Amino acid sequence: MSGAALMVTMLVVGALLALTLAVVRLWRGPTAADRVVALDVVFSVNVVLSAAAALGTGRALFLDLAIGLAAIGFVSTIVWARLVAGATEEEP
């Protein structure tokens, strides 16, 4: 196994570990803010896995997918954060 293949394998294993921990926090999170952060981690892990797929296969299409996932993750995090902040504010 070459050095690059070993690094991609280690990247995928670390990303899957992070994904597992994030899904546990998403499932058990005591507050909505915990769930929002866990969902953001899930999107980030998907971006990392797409980049690892691009490195492993040599296809740039996976990088386009990673950019799209990052944009969707960013927008969804902003929307969820505003919903959580609006739900915790008391109306006069």
Side-chain angles (χ1 to χ4, degrees):
M1 183 180 287
S2 70
L6 180 64
M7 290 302 289
V8 170
T9 302
M10 289 174 46
L11 182 68
V12 169
V13 169
L16 290 178
L17 177 65
L19 181 65
T20 303
L21 293 174
V23 167
V24 168
R25 177 52 59 196
L26 190 64
W27 186 299
R28 299 182 63 203
T31 64
D34 291 331
R35 290 185 171 98
V36 169
V37 171
L39 188 64
D40 192 36
V41 170
V42 168
F43 271 109
S44 298
V45 167
N46 284 324
V47 169
V48 168
L49 289 175
S50 295
L55 288 173
T57 62
R59 293 187 173 185
L61 179 65
F62 291 111
L63 294 177
D64 295 338
L65 178 66
I67 291 170
L69 283 172
I72 291 170
F74 174 74
V75 171
S76 67
T77 300
I78 297 297
V79 169
W80 279 108
R82 288 189 181 217
L83 284 174
V84 168
T88 58
E89 294 178 356
E90 293 180 325
E91 295 185 20

